Amino acid sequence: MISVSDVSKVYALESGDFFALKNTTIQVGKGEFVAIMGPSGSGKSTLLQLIGGLDLPTSGTIEVDGIELNKLNEKQRTLFRRTKVGFIFQNYQLLPMMTVGENIALALSANHAKKEEINSVVQKLLSDVNLQGKESAFPSQLSGGQQQRVAIARALAMKPSLILADEPTGNLDQKNGEDILKLLSVLNKEEKITVVMVTHDHQAAQVADRIIVVRDGVVVTDGNKGGNRHET
Ligand code: ADP
Ligand code: ADP
C-alpha cells in the first residue's frame, strides 16, 4: 500500500542543510493500522506529509496504492490527495464560517455531484460518525471530539483507501480521544482503510497493529506491538 524507499527530506536553513528525514525506508501493507511515534521534531509530521503528497522528498521514492508520487505533476498530486487520502489533524482544520454540513459537502462538491446527492452523502457520513442532526451547527458550537468526528466524516467523503492522522487525539480529553481511536479502528477493521497515525501518546498507539519509532529523522524501531519496543 505504502512504500517509502530511501527517502530523505532536507530543509535549507541559514545554518546549513537540515535533514528532517534521513534515508528512511518503510513499508505499510494494505489494511494495516500503523502508529508513528517519537520525540517532537523527529520528523513524524514530515513523513506523514510526504506520504500524503503534501510535499515531495529531497531524494528517494514514495509509492502509495501503486502511484509513484515523485512522477506526478502538481495537478495530479492534488487529485491524488483529494481522492486517495483522508487527512486528519490535531486541530481538526474545519472552516469556521461554514456549517458542519458545508464543511463535509466541500470535500464532495468539487466532484460535480448534484445537490441532492451531496445532501444524502453528507447525511450518511454524519451518521457514520454518530453526528446525526448536526449538519447546521457551526464547528465552534461542537465539542472537540465532535469537531474531530466532523473532520473524519470529511476525510471519508471521497472514500479514501488511506487515512493519515497527525496527533488526532492531541487536543482531546481521555474519553473523547478514546472515541476517536475507536472510530479509526472501526474504519480500519470494517472498511479496510489503511491508517497511519502520528501520536506521542503510548495509549493511543495501542490501537495500532504496528508501531514505528522515529528519532532525529531515522526509523529506530519498526515492529509489532510487544516486540522489541523499548524506545521512547
Ligand atoms: P515531528 O512531527 O516529529 O514533531 P516534524 O516533521 O514536524 O517533526 O519536524 C522535523 C524537523 O524538521 C523539526 O526540527 C522541524 O523544525 C523541521 N522542519 C519541519 N518542517 C520544516 C520546514 N518547512 N522548514 C524548515 N524546517 C522544518
Ligand atoms: P508537530 O506538532 O506535528 O510537530 P509542528 O507544529 O512542529 O508540527 O509543525 C507544523 C507545520 O509547520 C508542519 O507542516 C511543519 O512542516 C512546519 N514546520 C515545522 N517546523 C518548521 C520550521 N522550523 N520552519 C518552517 N516550517 C516548520
Side-chain angles (χ1 to χ4, degrees), residues 137-177:
F138 285 90
S140 61
Q141 298 170 314
L142 301 180
S143 73
Q146 289 174 324
Q147 289 184 58
Q148 192 62 297
R149 281 188 276 148
V150 175
I152 292 174
R154 179 184 57 184
L156 293 173
M158 295 298 284
K159 299 184 186 300
S161 44
L162 172 65
I163 285 181
L164 299 175
D166 198 344
E167 300 279 5
T169 61
N171 285 353
L172 301 176
D173 62 24
Q174 179 87 10
K175 166 80 173 72
N176 281 303

Side-chain angles (χ1 to χ4, degrees), residues 64-135:
V64 178
D65 222 2
I67 300 166
E68 269 193 62
L69 301 192
N70 312 56
K71 296 195 172 157
L72 303 182
N73 62 32
E74 283 288 325
K75 209 172 160 188
Q76 292 168 323
R77 204 145 53 87
T78 303
L79 190 68
F80 163 80
R81 287 195 299 265
R82 287 208 35 186
T83 56
K84 293 276 177 188
V85 189
F87 291 96
I88 299 165
F89 303 95
Q90 176 168 357
N91 57 3
Y92 326 125
Q93 298 207 4
L94 301 174
L95 296 172
M97 305 302 278
M98 289 193 177
T99 64
V100 164
E102 288 165 347
N103 266 280
I104 299 170
L106 203 63
L108 291 160
S109 56
N111 209 21
H112 307 296
K114 288 210 187 77
K115 204 171 174 187
E116 309 86 75
E117 277 172 47
I118 290 177
N119 265 334
S120 84
V121 176
V122 167
Q123 296 303 331
K124 165 80 171 70
L125 289 165
L126 280 174
S127 96
D128 287 347
V129 299
N130 203 15
L131 280 179
Q132 299 92 326
K134 292 288 183 194
E135 62 268 25

Side-chain angles (χ1 to χ4, degrees), residues 29-35 185 188-189 193-195 204-212 223-226:
K30 207 167 181 54
E32 264 196 286
F33 193 141
V34 175
S185 190
N188 172 250
K189 297 290 175 283
I193 299 174
T194 307
V195 180
Q206 295 310 308
V207 297
D209 306 315
R210 179 174 146 211
I211 297 176
I212 293 172
N224 294 322
K225 292 184 301 177

